[in-house]
């Protein structure tokens, strides 16, 4: 996120030009979390703008302290309220599909087992990434010859469009994985906090071969990088003219 100056003091010299709303949704993989965090960020920007206007865009100690307190309050509030939303997702079954050419077969539900909420970062005045831990069991359909099994997937919307990508690791208890062995995968997916309009579309995990994953990963990551830039612009107050 672009912030003018090198310290928190500079934020008081900024004014929000425009902030759009977002559509709340609990139907997607991430429930109400995307809309909640976007709203907190937009509210923070609006309140900082009001502080700036009221102080004549001063960077005196009193004004700086108001902004810092506002940021600290937001950090604490988001941890408490976000946990309530995260708790609703624990145990949620995530939709998935398997494509051809996989060295395994998923034999259980893909379930959310933990949520690490995004933290509010004072250097950028934004929330960092969300981590969602998933757990599921697979049976190897060929010899892996290693103690680790890697699964690869794209995160898609309901129409099958790729939105993000992730890889997960399953570890065998003892010997290298052989055909017919059951492996438990318990790993997390790291999700950038971009627009809720995008995150609300996260719906299905499409498991693909490593080759397919590598072929399309760069394209998907570039798309996500663009969404990150757009979100940073949306959440960044513009300098007072």
């Amino acid at each position: 996120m672009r912030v003018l100056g090198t310290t928190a003091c500079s934020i008081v010299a900024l004014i929000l030009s425009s902030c759009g709303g977002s559509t709340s949704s609990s139907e997607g993989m991430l429930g109400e979390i995307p809309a909640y965090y976007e709203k907190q960020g937009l509210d923070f920007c609006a309140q900082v703008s009001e502080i700036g206007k009221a102080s004549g865009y001063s960077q005196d100690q009193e004004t700086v302290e108001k902004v810092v307190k506002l940021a600290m309050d937001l950090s604490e509030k988001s941890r408490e309220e976000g946990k309530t939303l995260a708790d609703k997702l624990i145990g949620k079954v995530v939709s998935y599909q398997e494509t051809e050419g996989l060295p395994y077969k998923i034999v259980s539900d893909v379930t959310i087992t933990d949520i690490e909420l995004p933290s509010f970062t004072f250097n950028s005045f934004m929330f960092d990434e969300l981590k969602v831990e998933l757990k599921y069991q697979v049976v190897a359909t060929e010899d892996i010859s290693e103690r680790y099994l890697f699964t690869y997937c794209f995160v898609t919307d309901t129409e099958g469009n790729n939105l993000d990508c992730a890889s997960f690791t399953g570890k065998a208890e003892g010997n290298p994985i052989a055909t017919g062995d059951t492996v438990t995968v318990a790993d997390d997916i790291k999700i950038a906090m971009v627009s809720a309009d995008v995150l609300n579309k996260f719906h299905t995990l499409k498991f693909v071969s490593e080759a397919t994953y590598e072929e399309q990963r760069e394209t998907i990551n570039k798309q996500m990088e663009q969404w990150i830039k757009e979100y940073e612009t949306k959440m960044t107050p513009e300098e007072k003219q």
Side-chain angles (χ1 to χ4, degrees):
M1 176 179 178
R2 176 181 62 82
V3 178
L4 302 183
T6 58
T7 69
C9 299
S10 62
I11 194 71
V12 301
L14 305 178
I15 179 171
L16 189 66
S17 60
S18 63
C19 281
S22 63
T23 302
S24 176
S25 173
S26 59
E27 297 302 316
M29 181 190 304
L30 306 178
E32 300 172 69
I33 288 177
Y36 171 79
Y37 280 93
E38 181 168 305
K39 182 178 186 304
Q40 298 310 304
L42 294 175
D43 287 350
F44 175 79
C45 287
Q47 291 179 67
V48 168
S49 296
E50 290 303 314
I51 292 173
K53 292 176 184 177
S55 68
Y57 304 98
S58 168
Q59 297 188 46
D60 60 27
Q61 183 176 350
E62 180 182 358
T63 303
V64 170
E65 288 177 351
K66 286 182 179 179
V67 173
V68 171
K69 183 180 185 304
L70 185 66
M72 292 179 67
D73 289 346
L74 171 61
S75 181
E76 182 176 355
K77 176 186 177 183
S78 63
R79 280 197 301 269
E80 294 176 355
E81 297 182 347
K83 184 178 184 305
T84 300
L85 301 180
D87 287 346
K88 294 179 181 179
L89 293 181
I90 304 302
K92 180 174 183 175
V93 174
V94 178
S95 299
Y96 73 88
Q97 65 180 91
E98 297 168 278
T99 57
E100 295 182 358
L102 302 180
Y104 59 85
K105 174 70 177 176
I106 298 176
V107 294
S108 73
D109 289 334
V110 177
T111 306
I112 296 176
T113 55
D114 195 19
I115 300 284
E116 184 176 329
L117 294 166
S119 298
F120 185 75
T121 56
F122 286 79
N123 62 326
S124 64
F125 290 101
M126 285 185 67
F127 292 99
D128 60 16
E129 66 187 8
L130 171 72
K131 295 180 182 179
V132 180
E133 184 179 273
L134 303 172
K135 185 175 182 179
Y136 50 96
Q137 289 188 317
V138 305
V139 170
T141 54
E142 61 183 61
D143 292 343
I144 306 299
S145 300
E146 297 178 3
R147 290 185 61 196
Y148 295 92
L149 181 146
F150 299 97
T151 63
Y152 304 88
C153 72
F154 301 139
V155 183
T156 74
D157 59 19
T158 55
E159 297 178 351
N161 299 304
N162 295 333
L163 304 175
D164 205 351
C165 56
S167 61
F168 306 98
T169 305
K171 182 180 179 181
E173 294 298 326
N175 298 322
I177 301 167
T179 302
D181 286 351
T182 299
V183 178
T184 298
V185 180
D187 207 346
D188 57 41
I189 176 173
K190 300 175 179 62
I191 302 171
M193 294 304 291
V194 297
S195 172
D197 290 337
V198 172
L199 296 180
N200 283 338
K201 295 177 182 178
F202 280 35
H203 187 271
T204 300
L205 300 179
K206 180 168 66 176
F207 288 88
V208 298
S209 67
E210 182 179 4
T212 299
Y213 178 83
E214 292 298 339
E215 287 173 1
Q216 301 186 41
R217 179 174 61 168
E218 184 176 355
T219 298
I220 295 173
N221 285 340
K222 284 182 178 180
Q223 174 182 262
M224 180 57 69
E225 288 171 3
Q226 181 59 38
W227 282 333
I228 291 173
K229 290 179 181 178
E230 292 173 357
Y231 190 62
E232 288 177 343
T233 299
K234 180 178 183 178
M235 303 299 286
T236 303
E238 293 187 357
E239 185 178 10
K240 174 180 175 290
Q241 301 298 317

